Amino acid sequence: MATANSTKGIGKVIFSSSLGTLIEWYDFYIFGMLAKTISTQFFPEGNDTAALLSTLAIFAAGFLVRPFGALVFGRLGDLIGRKYTFLLTLVLMGGSTFLIGLVPSYKTIGMAAPLLVLLLRLIQGLALGGEYGGAATYVAEHAPEGRRGYFTAWIQTTATLGLFVALGVIMGVRKIVNDDAAFNAEWGGWRYPFWMSILLVGVSIYIRLKMNESPVFAKLKAEKKTSTNPLKESFGHKANFKMVLLALFGAVMGQGVIWYTGQFYAQSFLENTVKLEFMQNREILLWAIALATPFFLVFGALSDKIGRKWIMLAGMLLGVVFYRPIFKTLLKDADAKEWMDKNEGMRYVSMHQANPSIKMDTVVQKNGDTTLLKHVKGVWQLTEGIQFTETYVDTLGLGKEGGAWENKDKKHTYSDKILTSGLKWKFIGLVWIMIIFVTMVYGPVAAFLVELFPTKIRYTSMSLPYHIGNGVFGGLVPFIATLLSATFTSDPLVGLWYPIGVAALCFVIGALYLNNKIDKEVND
């Protein structure tokens, strides 16, 4: 058994803890990754925006109950131990995810469909609320002094790697089920990632059953010094409750919005606002995550040398300053209409039907020159720009006879955009920069939280601020940002003011009140 002063066996400890935590994040995030498809399955047809918002609300509900899971399972973890508590959370998470994949659609069972999904999503949130605190505490209590930031940073990679695995599985299934209709059907390919969860969870349960209890907690239990009422000791004592509030408002609140903006909202923005094609959107995020993930360990190790505070606050400040410029660039560089509007004298010459809203083949002419477009697999591609599908509303009722109209018609929309290779890598670079901000705030945060609280109430005390900061403030980013964008349509970037405001406030509080000392001892 590893001690808190030895690295013996620490690799096994990290692997056993991280694998289960990664799988729980995978389970939690496939729902959000497939939000657009899920919205068509579990809600009535007729209003795509309302269905998407409802799906994101159910997604957010899982985040909102995470603090309750932190209280329930944190208390269990401080009473009976770390090992069996986060074994229970793994079973609950895996079972709920698998069952979501079995819920019939709205067309089959009506309102029972979204209600069942909501119930299972709430169980997921409760389970995740108990998982992270246990895993982070378990690793920290095995880690040697002076390297706690580095070793707990391995746990920090699991949230991003869980997202990475979720993206990879979804893209793999989408490629195998190489048909939009088959993938999005009631019992189509979108359900496979949910069903696969049960296999992953089974492997992780087997591994976790072989784990030993944390040596620090085992020693405390042998000496009969464990807490008899972790909730009262964590939140009933003024000094400890003050540290809980400081951890939330001075660190974790800002960390939460940076994490979900840089990874989750970025993916949602590229799909729903920029209108990138499904696979390329996820490919961009996949590459950015893969290239940025090692920096969790870099900043975790750096925090062992210079402290946790200023690394985390620097990541928040960078997000505050650069989010709007980065998202503005993503939107502008993929704007097919803006590129085409620069070429004066162009007209669209099309064959179309008298449907209210239809896709059409389009030829772009500039002074009689049609070489600006080439035809690729049924889609027109700009030789100097991006590939896209165009949709328009025939407001004039011209039907088949209407062959030409000005390209400045505001009823034209562009979707399923596919970027050129150079532009795709530019987008990967921009998303990578935002994930670097994530690694700065998230890499050191586990060590920071562990060092704030004594062993006997550590699981409970650190779990609550973490899951309020991430589950409430961070988890609401996609929903609030999408809601703001749908409400204030004149500014497609208006949703960013929520994470920017929260991160800015957290930066000020943290800069004024957080201590940058590195606690060398977690055995008390």
Side-chain angles (χ1 to χ4, degrees):
M1 181 186 296
T3 70
N5 296 304
S6 168
T7 58
K8 182 181 179 181
I10 190 70
K12 182 179 178 182
V13 167
I14 290 172
F15 176 75
S16 302
S17 303
S18 299
L19 180 62
T21 308
L22 184 152
I23 290 169
E24 289 215 29
W25 284 114
Y26 163 83
D27 289 347
F28 201 68
Y29 286 130
I30 52 175
F31 189 96
M33 293 287 100
L34 292 168
K36 197 169 182 179
T37 300
I38 289 172
S39 69
T40 65
Q41 297 295 327
F42 298 122
F43 291 95
E45 297 177 353
N47 190 329
D48 292 344
T49 301
L52 179 60
L53 282 170
S54 298
T55 303
L56 290 174
I58 290 180
F59 182 63
F63 289 93
L64 293 175
V65 298
R66 279 170 57 178
F68 298 100
L71 292 175
V72 172
F73 293 108
R75 177 178 178 275
L76 283 176
D78 284 327
L79 286 173
I80 67 173
R82 296 24 173 152
K83 172 184 173 179
Y84 291 105
T85 302
F86 65 20
L87 189 62
L88 176 60
T89 63
L90 185 63
V91 173
L92 288 173
M93 174 65 85
S96 300
T97 305
F98 179 74
L99 290 174
I100 287 176
L102 296 178
V103 175
S105 70
Y106 181 89
K107 290 180 180 178
T108 303
I109 61 173
M111 280 303 297
L115 291 176
L116 283 172
V117 172
L118 175 60
L119 175 63
L120 293 169
R121 183 67 184 165
L122 292 176
I123 295 173
Q124 280 188 322
L126 288 171
L128 190 61
E131 165 67 23
Y132 172 82
T137 299
Y138 187 80
V139 171
E141 290 176 350
H142 279 83
E145 294 175 5
R147 300 194 69 190
R148 199 170 299 117
Y150 171 72
F151 285 118
T152 56
W154 285 95
I155 288 292
Q156 303 309 96
T157 66
T158 60
T160 294
L161 289 175
L163 184 61
F164 181 89
V165 173
L167 282 166
V169 169
I170 290 168
M171 290 177 68
V173 171
R174 183 64 180 262
K175 200 163 186 178
I176 293 170
V177 184
N178 191 24
D179 179 78
D180 285 351
F183 184 84
N184 295 313
E186 180 176 358
W187 293 98
W190 68 272
R191 292 183 183 266
Y192 298 170
F194 290 94
W195 296 339
M196 288 174 62
S197 169
I198 204 72
L199 299 175
L200 299 175
V201 169
V203 172
S204 187
I205 289 173
Y206 174 77
I207 292 172
R208 283 197 172 179
L209 282 170
K210 295 180 176 297
M211 294 166 59
N212 295 312
E213 184 55 83
S214 154
V216 177
F217 183 82
K219 180 174 180 289
L220 204 68
K221 194 171 183 179
E223 295 171 352
K224 298 183 179 180
K225 294 181 180 179
T226 56
S227 173
T228 56
N229 193 337
L231 293 178
K232 183 178 179 180
E233 291 187 46
S234 293
F235 312 117
H237 295 173
K238 185 177 179 180
N240 198 70
F241 187 58
K242 179 182 176 182
M243 298 308 294
V244 170
L245 293 178
L246 183 57
L248 172 59
F249 294 110
V252 188
M253 176 176 74
Q255 172 259 301
V257 296
I258 294 294
W259 200 101
Y260 285 95
T261 303
Q263 296 183 134
F264 223 95
Y265 183 61
Q267 185 259 323
S268 177
F269 183 84
L270 288 173
E271 181 171 11
N272 299 308
T273 304
V274 178
K275 304 291 186 183
L276 287 192
E277 184 265 342
F278 181 95
M279 290 292 282
Q280 190 176 70
N281 173 21
R282 284 151 180 82
E283 181 187 354
I284 288 169
L285 195 59
L286 209 61
W287 273 107
I289 288 173
L291 295 171
T293 295
F295 287 88
F296 285 105
L297 306 178
V298 171
F299 289 114
L302 184 62
S303 75
D304 285 327
K305 301 182 183 301
I306 67 173
R308 329 294 184 196
K309 172 181 174 178
W310 291 110
I311 296 175
M312 295 189 297
L313 294 184
M316 294 178 207
L317 185 61
L318 288 169
V320 169
V321 173
F322 289 107
Y323 273 159
R324 281 186 66 89
I326 289 174
F327 277 85
K328 184 177 180 180
T329 301
L330 294 173
L331 189 61
K332 184 178 180 181
D333 283 4
D335 191 344
K337 185 177 187 302
E338 178 176 319
W339 188 91
M340 296 172 77
D341 281 350
K342 289 178 182 177
N343 296 275
E344 295 180 1
M346 291 196 305
R347 285 178 174 269
Y348 300 102
V349 183
S350 310
M351 297 297 296
H352 59 279
Q353 300 173 355
N355 294 338
S357 180
I358 58 174
K359 293 181 179 179
M360 60 186 181
D361 286 340
T362 305
V363 176
V364 175
Q365 293 182 340
K366 182 179 180 183
N367 300 323
D369 180 10
T370 61
T371 59
L372 290 171
L373 286 181
K374 61 181 179 179
H375 200 256
V376 181
K377 295 182 180 179
V379 181
W380 290 102
Q381 181 174 355
L382 292 167
T383 57
E384 300 176 21
I386 61 173
Q387 182 177 322
F388 61 89
T389 297
E390 182 181 20
T391 304
Y392 83 104
V393 177
D394 186 9
T395 55
L396 301 179
L398 298 176
K400 279 188 175 183
E401 304 304 319
W405 57 92
E406 294 296 332
N407 65 313
K408 294 180 181 180
D409 182 350
K410 293 182 180 179
K411 294 297 181 181
H412 291 253
T413 58
Y414 307 91
S415 60
D416 295 328
K417 299 173 184 175
I418 299 178
L419 308 176
T420 59
S421 178
L423 197 52
K424 180 185 75 173
W425 280 102
K426 180 180 180 180
F427 274 44
I428 290 171
L430 291 171
V431 176
W432 177 83
I433 290 171
M434 292 192 287
I435 300 178
I436 291 297
F437 302 163
V438 172
T439 65
M440 293 176 72
V441 298
Y442 201 59
V445 79
F448 165 78
L449 289 172
V450 164
E451 291 164 351
L452 281 180
F453 306 106
T455 302
K456 65 179 183 177
I457 56 171
R458 181 172 292 138
Y459 201 147
T460 305
S461 296
M462 73 165 287
S463 293
L464 186 66
Y466 175 83
H467 286 292
I468 293 178
N470 284 271
V472 178
F473 288 100
L476 287 176
V477 167
F479 176 73
I480 291 179
T482 303
L483 181 62
L484 288 172
S485 298
T487 304
F488 304 99
T489 55
S490 60
D491 180 9
L493 303 180
V494 68
L496 291 171
W497 287 119
Y498 168 69
I500 287 173
V502 172
L505 177 61
C506 190
F507 174 83
V508 172
I509 295 172
L512 292 176
Y513 298 108
L514 282 186
N515 193 312
N516 195 44
K517 78 179 183 72
I518 305 172
D519 191 344
K520 299 296 185 182
E521 186 64 65
V522 297
N523 298 327
D524 56 335

